[in-house]
């Protein structure tokens, strides 16, 4: 059993930290909103700290799961950041979906303090976090990965090392690029079915048994058909992720025309005040323009 800290108790971090506690690890949490940390500590009989620095003191592993590059820099490098409390020989595992650049930047800073770093973005959404079946994409040293993997298995069903620091974030970009195209295709298919007077639910029951099948189809077609989007992975967060991928693509020479187009479509859904709608709400845009 490890002595760990978990920084960031959002819709993903809260249950992830809970799984660690349920597996018997000694968990200290920090959250920007202290009330959320208090709620978690009461629910899981854990400890809470008032700063990331204090949360990191004497921990074997420190996990972070925050919003973006700037949030990550603040909790790690800020005045009360992790870097000022973490001990030599500890490991920082970052579950934030962020840029590969910030992963490399933090790894370099922490290495000066003999602290190891793994970038480890996740896929599976809120349901995956709550059910402990996330996919974790990791970048860093193999020996460090092997040390951390048994702990991460508390909330994952797949955790793999993809390469050096930054490889985890690059893999998450691939994940989001693929999702963007799949969701748009599903939205167009359901829109076509509705326009053609078909029973979309029956249509999907059939085509989901063939080559068109996808996680998005299996898990989102019913709510999409019913026009329900007030749940799931928010468009604001998806656009943040796609911006990271598109920026990296410009630098490495990738051609991402569909990703750029879907990102534009998401901006139109935001204009419909759908910022917090699930990414499957691309269908709402098509229905609006019908």
């Amino acid at each position: 059993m490890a002595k760990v800290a978990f920084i960031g108790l959002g819709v993903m971090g809260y249950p992830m930290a809970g799984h660690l506690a349920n597996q018997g690890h000694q968990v200290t949490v920090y959250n920007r909103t202290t009330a959320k940390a208090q709620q978690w500590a009461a629910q899981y009989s854990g400890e809470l700290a008032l700063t990331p620095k204090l949360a990191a003191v004497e921990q074997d592993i420190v996990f972070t799961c925050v919003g973006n590059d700037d949030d990550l820099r603040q909790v790690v490098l800020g005045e009360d950041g992790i870097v000022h409390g973490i001990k030599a020989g500890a490991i920082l595992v970052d579950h934030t979906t962020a840029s590969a650049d910030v992963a490399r930047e933090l790894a370099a800073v922490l290495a000066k303090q003999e602290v190891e770093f793994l970038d480890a973005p996740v896929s599976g959404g809120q349901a995956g976090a709550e059910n402990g079946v996330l996919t974790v994409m990791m970048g860093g040293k193999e020996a460090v990965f092997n040390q951390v993997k048994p702990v991460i298995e508390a909330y994952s069903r797949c955790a793999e090392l993809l390469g050096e620091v930054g490889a985890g974030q690059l893999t998450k970009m691939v994940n989001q690029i693929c999702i963007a195209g799949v969701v748009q295709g599903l939205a167009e298919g359901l829109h076509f079915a509705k326009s053609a007077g078909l029973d979309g639910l029956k249509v999907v029951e059939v085509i989901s048994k063939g080559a068109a099948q996808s996680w998005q189809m299996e898990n989102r077609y019913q709510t999409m058909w019913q026009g329900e989007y007030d749940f799931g992975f928010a468009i604001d967060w998806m656009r943040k992720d796609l911006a990271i991928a598109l920026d990296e693509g410009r630098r490495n020479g990738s051609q991402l025309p569909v990703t750029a187009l879907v990102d534009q479509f998401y901006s139109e859904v935001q204009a419909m005040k759908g910022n917090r709608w699930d990414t499957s709400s691309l269908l709402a845009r098509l229905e609006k323009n019908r």
Side-chain angles (χ1 to χ4, degrees):
M1 294 298 103
K3 187 177 181 184
V4 307
F6 206 103
I7 313 297
L9 300 176
V11 295
M12 302 293 286
Y14 193 103
M16 291 164 74
H19 287 300
L20 289 170
N22 287 339
Q23 288 293 313
H25 300 292
Q26 185 177 337
V27 185
T28 299
V29 298
Y30 166 81
N31 194 65
R32 184 165 51 187
T33 304
T34 304
K36 180 67 72 68
Q38 291 172 331
Q39 176 185 335
W40 186 95
Q43 182 176 348
Y44 293 101
S45 300
E47 301 293 330
L48 70 89
L50 296 180
T51 68
K53 172 185 174 180
L54 293 175
V57 172
E58 294 302 317
Q59 306 294 353
D60 302 315
I61 307 171
V62 177
F63 296 95
T64 52
C65 189
V66 294
N68 55 40
D69 285 22
D70 290 339
D71 294 333
L72 184 56
R73 287 190 179 96
Q74 182 61 37
V75 298
V76 177
L77 305 177
E79 183 177 350
D80 291 316
I82 293 166
V83 72
H84 303 298
I86 196 167
K87 67 181 181 181
I91 302 168
L92 176 58
V93 179
D94 177 42
H95 289 308
T96 308
T97 296
S99 69
D101 283 346
V102 76
R104 299 181 188 114
E105 173 190 334
L106 296 181
V109 171
L110 292 164
K112 296 177 182 177
Q113 295 185 208
E114 300 180 6
V115 174
E116 298 290 351
F117 179 86
L118 295 169
D119 56 302
V122 302
S123 180
Q126 183 176 351
E130 291 173 349
N131 295 320
V133 292
L134 292 170
T135 295
V136 188
M137 301 152 260
M138 305 180 73
K141 297 177 183 176
E142 185 173 3
V144 180
F145 165 75
N146 289 334
Q147 187 176 345
V148 166
K149 186 177 180 180
V151 180
I152 287 179
E153 287 176 344
Y155 47 77
S156 69
R157 65 178 172 186
C158 176
E160 294 294 339
L161 184 69
L162 283 306
E164 299 179 350
V165 169
Q169 296 296 352
L170 292 171
T171 302
K172 181 61 182 286
M173 294 175 208
V174 175
N175 186 78
Q176 303 304 75
I177 289 167
C178 293
I179 288 174
V182 169
V183 176
Q184 177 62 21
L186 178 58
E188 291 183 16
L190 291 175
H191 177 60
F192 179 92
K194 190 170 292 188
S195 299
L198 295 171
D199 183 334
L201 300 182
K202 287 187 177 180
V203 168
V204 173
E205 286 177 8
V206 173
I207 68 173
S208 64
K209 305 302 187 294
Q213 190 275 340
S214 69
W215 186 98
Q216 298 293 334
M217 180 176 287
E218 293 285 354
N219 290 275
R220 292 291 183 264
Y221 80 96
Q222 293 184 358
T223 48
M224 290 173 74
W225 191 256
Q226 294 162 5
E228 298 174 0
Y229 306 112
D230 193 20
F231 66 96
F233 188 62
I235 284 178
D236 281 351
W237 292 115
M238 185 59 161
R239 289 208 71 205
K240 183 264 292 185
D241 292 356
L242 293 181
I244 293 171
L246 290 167
D247 182 59
E248 187 69 34
R250 283 187 286 270
R251 286 190 291 176
N252 68 23
S254 302
Q255 297 184 50
L256 305 173
V258 173
T259 305
L261 186 61
V262 175
D263 181 58
Q264 176 184 325
F265 292 161
Y266 277 130
S267 74
E268 294 178 25
V269 181
Q270 287 177 321
M272 297 166 58
K273 301 188 184 304
N275 301 64
R276 303 302 298 175
W277 289 353
D278 182 68
T279 51
S280 60
S281 58
L282 285 169
L283 179 58
R285 169 188 166 273
L286 296 173
E287 295 300 311
K288 177 177 180 292
N289 296 328
R290 191 174 179 181

